[in-house]
Short mmCIF file of all heavy atoms in Angstrom, two decimals:
data_model
loop_
_atom_site.label_atom_id
_atom_site.label_comp_id
_atom_site.label_asym_id
_atom_site.label_seq_id
_atom_site.Cartn_x
_atom_site.Cartn_y
_atom_site.Cartn_z
N GLY A 126 -8.05 -6.00 5.46
CA GLY A 126 -8.05 -4.96 4.46
C GLY A 126 -6.90 -5.04 3.47
O GLY A 126 -6.18 -6.05 3.38
N THR A 127 -6.71 -3.94 2.74
CA THR A 127 -5.69 -3.89 1.69
C THR A 127 -4.28 -3.95 2.26
O THR A 127 -3.37 -4.44 1.58
CB THR A 127 -5.85 -2.61 0.87
OG1 THR A 127 -5.78 -1.47 1.73
CG2 THR A 127 -7.21 -2.58 0.17
N VAL A 128 -4.08 -3.46 3.46
CA VAL A 128 -2.74 -3.49 4.05
C VAL A 128 -2.30 -4.93 4.29
O VAL A 128 -1.16 -5.30 4.01
CB VAL A 128 -2.70 -2.68 5.35
CG1 VAL A 128 -1.32 -2.76 5.99
CG2 VAL A 128 -3.05 -1.22 5.08
N LEU A 129 -3.19 -5.76 4.81
CA LEU A 129 -2.86 -7.17 5.01
C LEU A 129 -2.53 -7.83 3.69
O LEU A 129 -1.58 -8.62 3.60
CB LEU A 129 -4.03 -7.88 5.69
CG LEU A 129 -3.86 -9.37 5.94
CD1 LEU A 129 -2.72 -9.65 6.89
CD2 LEU A 129 -5.16 -9.98 6.47
N ARG A 130 -3.28 -7.51 2.64
CA ARG A 130 -3.03 -8.07 1.32
C ARG A 130 -1.66 -7.65 0.80
O ARG A 130 -0.95 -8.45 0.16
CB ARG A 130 -4.11 -7.61 0.35
CG ARG A 130 -3.98 -8.12 -1.08
CD ARG A 130 -4.79 -7.27 -2.02
NE ARG A 130 -4.28 -5.91 -2.06
CZ ARG A 130 -4.94 -4.88 -2.60
NH1 ARG A 130 -6.14 -5.05 -3.09
NH2 ARG A 130 -4.38 -3.68 -2.61
N ASP A 131 -1.25 -6.40 1.07
CA ASP A 131 0.05 -5.91 0.59
C ASP A 131 1.22 -6.45 1.41
O ASP A 131 2.32 -6.62 0.88
CB ASP A 131 0.07 -4.38 0.61
CG ASP A 131 -0.89 -3.76 -0.38
OD1 ASP A 131 -1.22 -4.43 -1.38
OD2 ASP A 131 -1.33 -2.61 -0.15
N VAL A 132 0.99 -6.70 2.69
CA VAL A 132 2.09 -7.09 3.58
C VAL A 132 2.40 -8.58 3.48
O VAL A 132 3.56 -8.99 3.61
CB VAL A 132 1.76 -6.68 5.03
CG1 VAL A 132 2.77 -7.28 6.02
CG2 VAL A 132 1.76 -5.16 5.15
N LYS A 133 1.40 -9.41 3.25
CA LYS A 133 1.61 -10.86 3.23
C LYS A 133 2.73 -11.29 2.28
O LYS A 133 3.61 -12.06 2.68
CB LYS A 133 0.30 -11.56 2.86
CG LYS A 133 -0.59 -11.86 4.06
CD LYS A 133 -1.79 -12.68 3.63
CE LYS A 133 -2.60 -13.11 4.85
NZ LYS A 133 -3.77 -13.94 4.43
N PRO A 134 2.74 -10.83 1.01
CA PRO A 134 3.84 -11.26 0.13
C PRO A 134 5.21 -10.80 0.63
O PRO A 134 6.20 -11.52 0.48
CB PRO A 134 3.49 -10.61 -1.22
CG PRO A 134 2.02 -10.36 -1.16
CD PRO A 134 1.73 -10.04 0.27
N SER A 135 5.27 -9.61 1.23
CA SER A 135 6.56 -9.13 1.74
C SER A 135 7.06 -9.98 2.88
O SER A 135 8.27 -10.22 3.02
CB SER A 135 6.43 -7.66 2.19
OG SER A 135 6.29 -6.80 1.08
N VAL A 136 6.15 -10.46 3.74
CA VAL A 136 6.57 -11.34 4.84
C VAL A 136 7.17 -12.62 4.29
O VAL A 136 8.22 -13.09 4.76
CB VAL A 136 5.36 -11.65 5.75
CG1 VAL A 136 5.75 -12.66 6.82
CG2 VAL A 136 4.84 -10.39 6.40
N ALA A 137 6.52 -13.19 3.27
CA ALA A 137 7.03 -14.42 2.69
C ALA A 137 8.39 -14.21 2.03
O ALA A 137 9.31 -15.02 2.18
CB ALA A 137 6.03 -14.96 1.67
N LEU A 138 8.52 -13.10 1.29
CA LEU A 138 9.78 -12.84 0.59
C LEU A 138 10.92 -12.54 1.58
O LEU A 138 12.04 -13.02 1.40
CB LEU A 138 9.61 -11.67 -0.37
CG LEU A 138 8.71 -11.93 -1.59
CD1 LEU A 138 8.50 -10.64 -2.38
CD2 LEU A 138 9.32 -13.00 -2.49
N CYS A 139 10.63 -11.74 2.60
CA CYS A 139 11.69 -11.37 3.55
C CYS A 139 12.12 -12.54 4.42
O CYS A 139 13.20 -12.50 5.02
CB CYS A 139 11.20 -10.22 4.44
SG CYS A 139 11.00 -8.65 3.57
N SER A 140 11.31 -13.58 4.50
CA SER A 140 11.72 -14.77 5.25
C SER A 140 12.63 -15.68 4.44
O SER A 140 13.17 -16.64 4.97
CB SER A 140 10.48 -15.55 5.68
OG SER A 140 9.78 -16.04 4.55
N MET A 141 12.82 -15.34 3.14
CA MET A 141 13.70 -16.13 2.28
C MET A 141 15.10 -15.54 2.29
O MET A 141 15.28 -14.34 2.09
CB MET A 141 13.15 -16.15 0.84
CG MET A 141 11.78 -16.77 0.72
SD MET A 141 10.95 -16.34 -0.84
CE MET A 141 12.25 -16.70 -2.01
N ASP A 142 16.09 -16.38 2.51
CA ASP A 142 17.47 -15.91 2.57
C ASP A 142 17.96 -15.41 1.22
O ASP A 142 18.83 -14.53 1.15
CB ASP A 142 18.37 -17.03 3.08
CG ASP A 142 19.80 -16.57 3.29
OD1 ASP A 142 20.01 -15.64 4.10
OD2 ASP A 142 20.70 -17.12 2.63
N ASP A 143 17.41 -15.94 0.13
CA ASP A 143 17.84 -15.54 -1.21
C ASP A 143 17.27 -14.20 -1.65
O ASP A 143 17.71 -13.64 -2.65
CB ASP A 143 17.43 -16.62 -2.24
CG ASP A 143 18.15 -17.93 -2.00
OD1 ASP A 143 19.22 -17.90 -1.36
OD2 ASP A 143 17.64 -18.98 -2.43
N TYR A 144 16.28 -13.71 -0.94
CA TYR A 144 15.63 -12.45 -1.32
C TYR A 144 16.45 -11.26 -0.82
O TYR A 144 16.78 -11.17 0.37
CB TYR A 144 14.22 -12.38 -0.77
CG TYR A 144 13.49 -11.09 -1.08
CD1 TYR A 144 13.09 -10.79 -2.38
CD2 TYR A 144 13.19 -10.17 -0.07
CE1 TYR A 144 12.41 -9.62 -2.67
CE2 TYR A 144 12.52 -9.01 -0.35
CZ TYR A 144 12.13 -8.74 -1.65
OH TYR A 144 11.46 -7.55 -1.94
N THR A 145 16.80 -10.35 -1.72
CA THR A 145 17.58 -9.17 -1.36
C THR A 145 16.63 -8.01 -1.09
O THR A 145 15.88 -7.59 -1.98
CB THR A 145 18.55 -8.79 -2.50
OG1 THR A 145 19.40 -9.90 -2.77
CG2 THR A 145 19.39 -7.58 -2.10
N VAL A 146 16.69 -7.49 0.11
CA VAL A 146 15.82 -6.39 0.51
C VAL A 146 16.41 -5.07 0.03
O VAL A 146 17.60 -4.80 0.23
CB VAL A 146 15.63 -6.36 2.04
CG1 VAL A 146 14.78 -5.17 2.46
CG2 VAL A 146 15.00 -7.67 2.51
N THR A 147 15.59 -4.26 -0.59
CA THR A 147 16.03 -2.94 -1.06
C THR A 147 16.11 -1.98 0.11
O THR A 147 15.17 -1.87 0.90
CB THR A 147 15.05 -2.39 -2.12
OG1 THR A 147 14.94 -3.33 -3.19
CG2 THR A 147 15.53 -1.06 -2.66
N GLU A 148 17.24 -1.31 0.24
CA GLU A 148 17.41 -0.35 1.32
C GLU A 148 16.52 0.87 1.07
O GLU A 148 16.56 1.47 0.00
CB GLU A 148 18.86 0.10 1.43
CG GLU A 148 19.77 -0.96 2.03
CD GLU A 148 19.38 -1.30 3.47
OE1 GLU A 148 18.94 -0.38 4.20
OE2 GLU A 148 19.50 -2.47 3.84
N PRO A 149 15.70 1.25 2.04
CA PRO A 149 14.80 2.38 1.83
C PRO A 149 15.56 3.70 1.91
O PRO A 149 16.61 3.80 2.56
CB PRO A 149 13.80 2.25 2.98
CG PRO A 149 14.59 1.58 4.06
CD PRO A 149 15.53 0.63 3.36
N PRO A 150 15.06 4.76 1.27
CA PRO A 150 15.68 6.08 1.42
C PRO A 150 15.45 6.64 2.82
O PRO A 150 14.67 6.08 3.62
CB PRO A 150 14.96 6.93 0.35
CG PRO A 150 13.66 6.21 0.13
CD PRO A 150 13.94 4.75 0.32
N GLU A 151 16.12 7.73 3.13
CA GLU A 151 16.02 8.29 4.47
C GLU A 151 14.61 8.79 4.79
O GLU A 151 14.16 8.73 5.92
CB GLU A 151 17.03 9.44 4.62
CG GLU A 151 18.48 8.99 4.53
CD GLU A 151 19.45 10.14 4.72
OE1 GLU A 151 18.96 11.28 4.90
OE2 GLU A 151 20.66 9.89 4.71
N ASP A 152 13.92 9.31 3.79
CA ASP A 152 12.57 9.84 4.01
C ASP A 152 11.51 8.86 3.55
O ASP A 152 10.50 9.25 2.94
CB ASP A 152 12.40 11.17 3.27
CG ASP A 152 12.69 11.04 1.78
OD1 ASP A 152 13.29 10.03 1.39
OD2 ASP A 152 12.31 11.95 1.02
N ALA A 153 11.72 7.58 3.85
CA ALA A 153 10.80 6.53 3.40
C ALA A 153 9.59 6.45 4.32
O ALA A 153 9.34 5.42 4.95
CB ALA A 153 11.53 5.20 3.33
N GLU A 154 8.86 7.51 4.41
CA GLU A 154 7.64 7.57 5.22
C GLU A 154 6.59 8.37 4.47
O GLU A 154 6.88 9.06 3.49
CB GLU A 154 7.92 8.22 6.59
CG GLU A 154 8.89 7.42 7.46
CD GLU A 154 9.14 8.12 8.79
OE1 GLU A 154 8.65 9.27 8.95
OE2 GLU A 154 9.79 7.53 9.65
N LEU A 155 5.36 8.24 4.94
CA LEU A 155 4.30 9.04 4.34
C LEU A 155 4.55 10.51 4.62
O LEU A 155 4.94 10.88 5.73
CB LEU A 155 2.94 8.62 4.90
CG LEU A 155 2.48 7.20 4.56
CD1 LEU A 155 1.15 6.91 5.26
CD2 LEU A 155 2.33 7.02 3.07
N PRO A 156 4.34 11.39 3.64
CA PRO A 156 4.65 12.82 3.85
C PRO A 156 3.62 13.49 4.74
O PRO A 156 2.51 12.99 4.95
CB PRO A 156 4.59 13.38 2.41
CG PRO A 156 3.62 12.48 1.71
CD PRO A 156 3.84 11.11 2.29
N GLU A 157 4.02 14.64 5.26
CA GLU A 157 3.07 15.45 6.02
C GLU A 157 1.99 15.99 5.08
O GLU A 157 2.27 16.32 3.92
CB GLU A 157 3.80 16.62 6.69
CG GLU A 157 4.86 16.21 7.71
CD GLU A 157 4.23 15.79 9.02
OE1 GLU A 157 3.05 16.16 9.25
OE2 GLU A 157 4.90 15.11 9.81
N PRO A 158 0.75 16.08 5.54
CA PRO A 158 -0.31 16.59 4.65
C PRO A 158 -0.03 17.99 4.12
O PRO A 158 -0.40 18.31 2.98
CB PRO A 158 -1.55 16.59 5.56
CG PRO A 158 -1.27 15.54 6.60
CD PRO A 158 0.22 15.62 6.83
N THR A 159 0.65 18.82 4.91
CA THR A 159 0.92 20.19 4.47
C THR A 159 1.99 20.27 3.40
O THR A 159 2.11 21.29 2.72
CB THR A 159 1.33 21.05 5.67
OG1 THR A 159 2.46 20.44 6.33
CG2 THR A 159 0.18 21.18 6.65
N THR A 160 2.78 19.20 3.24
CA THR A 160 3.86 19.21 2.26
C THR A 160 3.44 18.62 0.91
O THR A 160 4.24 18.61 -0.02
CB THR A 160 5.07 18.43 2.78
OG1 THR A 160 4.69 17.05 2.99
CG2 THR A 160 5.57 19.02 4.10
N VAL A 161 2.20 18.13 0.81
CA VAL A 161 1.74 17.55 -0.46
C VAL A 161 1.47 18.68 -1.45
O VAL A 161 0.67 19.58 -1.16
CB VAL A 161 0.47 16.71 -0.25
CG1 VAL A 161 -0.06 16.19 -1.58
CG2 VAL A 161 0.75 15.57 0.70
N PRO A 162 2.12 18.69 -2.60
CA PRO A 162 1.91 19.77 -3.57
C PRO A 162 0.52 19.68 -4.20
O PRO A 162 -0.14 18.64 -4.18
CB PRO A 162 3.02 19.54 -4.61
CG PRO A 162 3.30 18.08 -4.53
CD PRO A 162 3.10 17.69 -3.09
N GLU A 163 0.09 20.79 -4.76
CA GLU A 163 -1.22 20.84 -5.40
C GLU A 163 -1.30 19.93 -6.61
O GLU A 163 -2.34 19.41 -6.96
CB GLU A 163 -1.55 22.27 -5.82
CG GLU A 163 -1.87 23.20 -4.67
CD GLU A 163 -3.19 22.83 -3.99
OE1 GLU A 163 -4.03 22.19 -4.66
OE2 GLU A 163 -3.38 23.16 -2.81
N GLY A 164 -0.18 19.77 -7.31
CA GLY A 164 -0.17 18.93 -8.50
C GLY A 164 1.22 18.88 -9.08
O GLY A 164 2.16 19.51 -8.59
N SER A 165 1.38 18.11 -10.11
CA SER A 165 2.67 17.96 -10.77
C SER A 165 2.53 18.33 -12.23
O SER A 165 1.43 18.51 -12.76
CB SER A 165 3.16 16.51 -10.65
OG SER A 165 2.22 15.63 -11.23
N GLY A 166 3.65 18.47 -12.90
CA GLY A 166 3.62 18.76 -14.33
C GLY A 166 3.29 20.20 -14.65
O GLY A 166 2.64 20.49 -15.65
N GLU A 167 3.72 21.14 -13.78
CA GLU A 167 3.43 22.55 -14.04
C GLU A 167 4.11 23.04 -15.31
O GLU A 167 3.57 23.88 -16.02
CB GLU A 167 3.90 23.41 -12.84
CG GLU A 167 2.89 23.49 -11.72
CD GLU A 167 1.55 24.06 -12.15
OE1 GLU A 167 1.55 25.08 -12.88
OE2 GLU A 167 0.53 23.48 -11.80
N PHE A 168 5.30 22.51 -15.59
CA PHE A 168 5.98 22.93 -16.82
C PHE A 168 5.17 22.53 -18.04
O PHE A 168 5.02 23.31 -19.00
CB PHE A 168 7.38 22.32 -16.87
CG PHE A 168 8.15 22.68 -18.11
CD1 PHE A 168 8.72 23.94 -18.26
CD2 PHE A 168 8.29 21.76 -19.14
CE1 PHE A 168 9.41 24.28 -19.42
CE2 PHE A 168 9.00 22.08 -20.30
CZ PHE A 168 9.56 23.35 -20.43
N GLY A 169 4.64 21.30 -18.03
CA GLY A 169 3.82 20.85 -19.14
C GLY A 169 2.56 21.68 -19.29
O GLY A 169 2.14 22.01 -20.41
N ASN A 170 1.93 22.00 -18.15
CA ASN A 170 0.73 22.85 -18.21
C ASN A 170 1.04 24.22 -18.77
O ASN A 170 0.26 24.79 -19.55
CB ASN A 170 0.11 22.98 -16.82
CG ASN A 170 -0.51 21.69 -16.34
OD1 ASN A 170 -0.89 20.84 -17.13
ND2 ASN A 170 -0.60 21.53 -15.03
N LEU A 171 2.21 24.78 -18.39
CA LEU A 171 2.60 26.10 -18.89
C LEU A 171 2.83 26.06 -20.40
O LEU A 171 2.40 26.98 -21.13
CB LEU A 171 3.86 26.57 -18.17
CG LEU A 171 4.42 27.93 -18.60
CD1 LEU A 171 3.39 29.04 -18.36
CD2 LEU A 171 5.71 28.25 -17.85
N MET A 172 3.47 25.00 -20.87
CA MET A 172 3.71 24.89 -22.31
C MET A 172 2.39 24.77 -23.08
O MET A 172 2.21 25.38 -24.15
CB MET A 172 4.60 23.69 -22.60
CG MET A 172 6.02 23.82 -22.07
SD MET A 172 6.88 25.25 -22.76
CE MET A 172 6.92 24.81 -24.50
N MET A 173 1.45 24.01 -22.54
CA MET A 173 0.17 23.88 -23.21
C MET A 173 -0.59 25.20 -23.21
O MET A 173 -1.28 25.54 -24.20
CB MET A 173 -0.67 22.78 -22.53
CG MET A 173 -0.15 21.37 -22.74
SD MET A 173 -1.26 20.10 -22.08
CE MET A 173 -2.67 20.29 -23.16
N GLN A 174 -0.45 25.96 -22.15
CA GLN A 174 -1.11 27.27 -22.11
C GLN A 174 -0.50 28.22 -23.15
O GLN A 174 -1.23 28.99 -23.80
CB GLN A 174 -0.98 27.89 -20.72
CG GLN A 174 -1.84 27.22 -19.67
CD GLN A 174 -1.72 27.90 -18.33
OE1 GLN A 174 -1.61 29.12 -18.23
NE2 GLN A 174 -1.74 27.12 -17.28
N LEU A 175 0.83 28.17 -23.31
CA LEU A 175 1.47 29.02 -24.32
C LEU A 175 1.01 28.63 -25.72
O LEU A 175 0.72 29.51 -26.56
CB LEU A 175 2.99 28.90 -24.20
CG LEU A 175 3.62 29.49 -22.94
CD1 LEU A 175 5.13 29.22 -22.91
CD2 LEU A 175 3.37 31.00 -22.88
#
Side-chain angles (χ1 to χ4, degrees):
T127 57
V128 178
L129 178 63
R130 180 199 64 193
D131 293 335
V132 170
K133 272 186 174 181
S135 289
V136 175
L138 291 174
C139 292
S140 64
M141 299 163 49
D142 185 60
D143 295 337
Y144 178 69
T145 302
V146 177
T147 304
E148 286 298 325
E151 295 182 358
D152 57 344
E154 296 179 353
L155 295 176
E157 298 282 342
T159 55
T160 62
V161 176
E163 288 292 337
S165 59
E167 276 302 315
F168 179 76
N170 290 336
L171 179 61
M172 293 301 296
M173 290 187 66
Q174 288 182 37
L175 292 176

